C-alpha cells in the first residue's frame, strides 16, 4: 500500500473516531437534560401534592378555630350573666347596708309614736285630734245625739265603743256647726256625687270637680272627705299618666287619712284610706311600699269590723293576701329589718276571702273569679280553677277593671292548659 493511501486511511479513522466521540457526547448531554427535566417535573409534582395537603390542613385548622371561638362566646355569655347577677346582688346588699343603720332611729320613732303621734297609723291619732278640737273651744252637746253631719244618709255614729263622752260630744258638735240650710245643702251634694260616682267616666270627673269646689267648706266632715278620697281614686283609674296617677294617689291618701282622723267609726273612711295606700304603694320604695301594705291591711280589717257584709272589703283583703304570698326575697328581708317581721299570709287565706266575697254577692266581679282561679291553680286544684275561669268568661267586660281581668284570665287559661 502506497504512502498516500496510508495517510488517507489514518485520516479516515481519525474522522470516524471524532464522529463517534461527538455522538457519545451528544447522547450523554441529552440524557442529562432528560434527567433534569424529569427531576423538575417530579419536584413540581411533589410540590403540587404538598400544596393540596396544606390546603386540607388549613381548612381543618380553620374549623377548629371556629369551634373554639363558638365555645369561647358561650363561656363569655355565661360569665356576663354571672356578672349581671353579682351586680344585682351588690345593689341589694348596698340597699340593706343603707337600711340597717336607720333601724335604731326607725324603732325609736315607732316607740315614741305609741305615746306621741302614732305616725304609721292615722287611726290612733283620731283621739288626740278630737281632744285638741275640744280644747280649742268646740261646744259640747248631748252625747246620745247622732252626728247629723253624716246623718242617716251615710252612717249613724252608733259604734262608739271605746270613745269617751268628750269625743262623742265633739262628733255631735261638728254637726251643730252647720245651719239647717247647710245640712240640706251637704246632704244634696253627697247624694249627687254618689250618683255621679256610679256613672260614666265623665260623670266621675264631674263628681271630682264638685267635691274639689266644696272642699274648703266641708273639709271637716268625714262623710265628705272619704268621698273626696274615693273621687281621687276614680281619677287615678281614669288617667294613664304616671305622674298624675302618683299625685292622685298621694292626695287621695291624705284625704282618707283626714277622714279617719275625724271619724274612726266610719267604715268608708277606713276603706278608702286603705285603697289609696294601695294605689300609692305602686310608686314607693320597698320600705314605703311595705309600710303602706301594713296600713292597707290594718284599715281593711277595721272596715270589715265596722261593715262585715261588704263583699268589696273581702275582695280587697283577698288581693292583699295573694300579693303578700308573691313578695320577693329582698322585700321580705327589708320588712324584717324595718318592722321586725314581714307581712304574712297564705294562698288558702286569700282563697277564703275571695270565696266570702262570692258568698255575700254571687257573681260579684270578673276579677274575683280570676283570683279564685289563681288560688285554686296554686293549690293544685286544676278542675276548680277551670270552673272559675268559665265563670269569669261568662261575665261581660264593662269596666276598665273587667278589661284588665280579661288579660289576666287569658294568661291563667294558657297556664292551665299547658
Amino acid at each position: 500500500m502506497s504512502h498516500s493511501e496510508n495517510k488517507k486511511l489514518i485520516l479516515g479513522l481519525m474522522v470516524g473516531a471524532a464522529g463517534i466521540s461527538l455522538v457519545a457526547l451528544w447522547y450523554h448531554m441529552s440524557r442529562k437534560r432528560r434527567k433534569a427535566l424529569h427531576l423538575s417535573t417530579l419536584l413540581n409534582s411533589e410540590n403540587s401534592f404538598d400544596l393540596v395537603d396544606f390546603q386540607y390542613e388549613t381548612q381543618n385548622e380553620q374549623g377548629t378555630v371556629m369551634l373554639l371561638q363558638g365555645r369561647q362566646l358561650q363561656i363569655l355569655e355565661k360569665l356576663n350573666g354571672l356578672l349581671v347577677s353579682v351586680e344585682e346582688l351588690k345593689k341589694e346588699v348596698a340597699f340593706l347596708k343603707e337600711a340597717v343603720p336607720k333601724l335604731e332611729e326607725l324603732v325609736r320613732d315607732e316607740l315614741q309614736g305609741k305615746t306621741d303621734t302614732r305616725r304609721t297609723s292615722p287611726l290612733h291619732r283620731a283621739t288626740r285630734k278630737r281632744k285638741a278640737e275640744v280644747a280649742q273651744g268646740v261646744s259640747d252637746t248631748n252625747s246620745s245625739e247622732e252626728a247629723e253631719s253624716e246623718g242617716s244618709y251615710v252612717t249613724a255614729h252608733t259604734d262608739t265603743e271605746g270613745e269617751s263622752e268628750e269625743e262623742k260630744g265633739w262628733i255631735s258638735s261638728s254637726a251643730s256647726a252647720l245651719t239647717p240650710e247647710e245640712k240640706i245643702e251637704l246632704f244634696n251634694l253627697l247624694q249627687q256625687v254618689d250618683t255621679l260616682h256610679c256613672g260614666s267616666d265623665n260623670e266621675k270627673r264631674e263628681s271630682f270637680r264638685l267635691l274639689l269646689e266644696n272642699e274648703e267648706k266641708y273639709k271637716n266632715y268625714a262623710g265628705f272627705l272619704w268621698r273626696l278620697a274615693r273621687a281621687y281614686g276614680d281619677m287615678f283609674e281614669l288617667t294613664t299618666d304616671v305622674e298624675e296617677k302618683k299625685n292622685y294617689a298621694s292626695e287621695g291618701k291624705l284625704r282618707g287619712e283626714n277622714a279617719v282622723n275625724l271619724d274612726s267609726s266610719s267604715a268608708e273612711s277606713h276603706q278608702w284610706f286603705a285603697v289609696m295606700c294601695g294605689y300609692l304603694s305602686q310608686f314607693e320604695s320597698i320600705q314605703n311600699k311595705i309600710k303602706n301594705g301594713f296600713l292597707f291591711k290594718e284599715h281593711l280589717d277595721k272596715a270589715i269590723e265596722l261593715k262585715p257584709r261588704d263583699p268589696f272589703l273581702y275582695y280587697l283583703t283577698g288581693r292583699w293576701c295573694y300579693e303578700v304570698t308573691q313578695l320577693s326575697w329582698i322585700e321580705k328581708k327589708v320588712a324584717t329589718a324595718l318592722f321586725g317581721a314581714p307581712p304574712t299570709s297564705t294562698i288558702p287565706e286569700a282563697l277564703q276571702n275571695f270565696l266570702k266575697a262570692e258568698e255575700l254577692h254571687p257573681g260579684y266581679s270578673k276579677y274575683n273569679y280570676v283570683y279564685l282561679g289563681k288560688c285554686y291553680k296554686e293549690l293544685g286544684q286544676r278542675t276548680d280553677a277551670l270552673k272559675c275561669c268559665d265563670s269569669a268568661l261568662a261575665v261581660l267586660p264593662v269596666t276598665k277593671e273587667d278589661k284588665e281581668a280579661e288579660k289576666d284570665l287569658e294568661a291563667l287559661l294558657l297556664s292551665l292548659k299547658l
Side-chain angles (χ1 to χ4, degrees), residues 206-218:
E206 176 63 15
S207 171
F208 179 66
R209 185 189 66 79
L210 287 172
L211 288 165
L212 281 182
E213 284 181 355
N214 290 276
E215 182 178 11
E216 188 62 30
K217 188 174 182 178
Y218 299 115

Side-chain angles (χ1 to χ4, degrees), residues 262-274:
L262 287 170
D263 184 8
S264 63
S265 64
S266 168
E268 287 78 9
S269 295
H270 290 285
Q271 171 183 322
W272 291 105
F273 176 60

Side-chain angles (χ1 to χ4, degrees), residues 21-182:
S21 297
L22 286 173
V23 170
L25 180 62
W26 173 81
Y27 176 76
H28 180 70
M29 291 180 67
S30 297
R31 188 175 179 184
K32 285 182 68 177
R33 282 198 299 269
R34 282 197 299 271
K35 286 183 178 180
L37 181 61
H38 179 70
L39 179 61
S40 176
T41 303
L42 181 62
L43 288 173
N44 288 339
S45 299
E46 290 175 352
N47 288 339
S48 64
F49 283 123
D50 290 342
L51 182 60
V52 172
D53 292 340
F54 176 74
Q55 289 176 347
Y56 179 73
E57 291 175 1
T58 302
Q59 289 176 356
N60 285 342
E61 290 177 2
Q62 288 177 347
T64 304
V65 169
M66 290 179 66
L67 180 61
L68 290 174
Q69 288 178 344
R71 290 177 180 173
Q72 287 175 349
L73 286 174
Q74 291 177 355
I75 294 171
L76 288 174
E77 287 177 358
K78 291 181 180 179
L79 287 174
N80 184 59
L82 181 60
L83 288 173
V84 171
S85 299
V86 170
E87 287 298 321
E88 291 177 352
L89 184 59
K90 284 182 179 179
K91 291 178 181 178
E92 292 178 357
V93 171
F95 179 84
L96 287 174
K97 285 182 179 179
E98 292 177 2
V100 170
K102 299 177 182 178
L103 282 178
E104 183 179 353
E105 180 183 351
L106 289 170
V107 170
R108 184 171 59 251
D109 290 343
E110 292 294 324
L111 292 174
Q112 289 176 351
K114 291 180 180 179
T115 57
D116 187 13
T117 59
R118 292 281 184 177
R119 297 178 188 177
T120 60
S121 178
L123 173 61
H124 301 297
R125 293 206 294 270
T127 300
R128 297 185 73 247
K129 173 84 173 181
R130 290 170 182 170
K131 289 181 178 179
E133 292 287 348
V134 173
Q136 292 173 5
V138 177
S139 59
D140 293 332
T141 60
N142 192 330
S143 62
S144 64
E145 182 181 354
E146 287 186 348
E148 296 180 11
S149 63
E150 297 188 7
S152 60
Y153 53 85
V154 183
T155 51
H157 293 276
T158 55
D159 183 8
T160 55
E161 182 180 356
E163 293 179 346
S164 66
E165 291 299 314
E166 182 182 35
E167 289 171 325
K168 293 177 185 178
W170 180 87
I171 294 172
S172 299
S173 66
S174 67
S176 64
L178 294 175
T179 65
E181 291 77 12
E182 288 174 332

Side-chain angles (χ1 to χ4, degrees), residues 110 117-126 253 257 260-261 264 266-267 269-275 277-278 289-306 313 316-317 320-321 324 339 343-344 349:
E110 292 294 324
T117 59
R118 292 281 184 177
R119 297 178 188 177
T120 60
S121 178
L123 173 61
H124 301 297
R125 293 206 294 270
K253 180 187 175 184
E257 181 179 8
V260 171
N261 288 341
S264 63
S266 168
S269 295
H270 290 285
Q271 171 183 322
W272 291 105
F273 176 60
V275 170
C277 286
K289 179 181 179 181
I290 294 171
K291 184 177 180 180
N292 278 323
F294 280 115
L295 283 173
F296 182 89
K297 185 62 164 58
E298 175 188 349
H299 289 276
L300 271 186
D301 288 345
K302 186 62 178 179
I304 289 175
E305 178 186 332
L306 295 167
L313 297 175
L316 289 178
T317 304
W320 183 88
C321 293
V324 165
F339 301 100
T344 58
E349 186 178 356

Side-chain angles (χ1 to χ4, degrees), residues 17 111 200 202 204 221 245 252 307 393:
L111 292 174
S200 65
N202 286 332
K204 289 178 180 178
Y221 302 95
K245 278 183 173 291
K307 194 169 54 170
L393 287 170

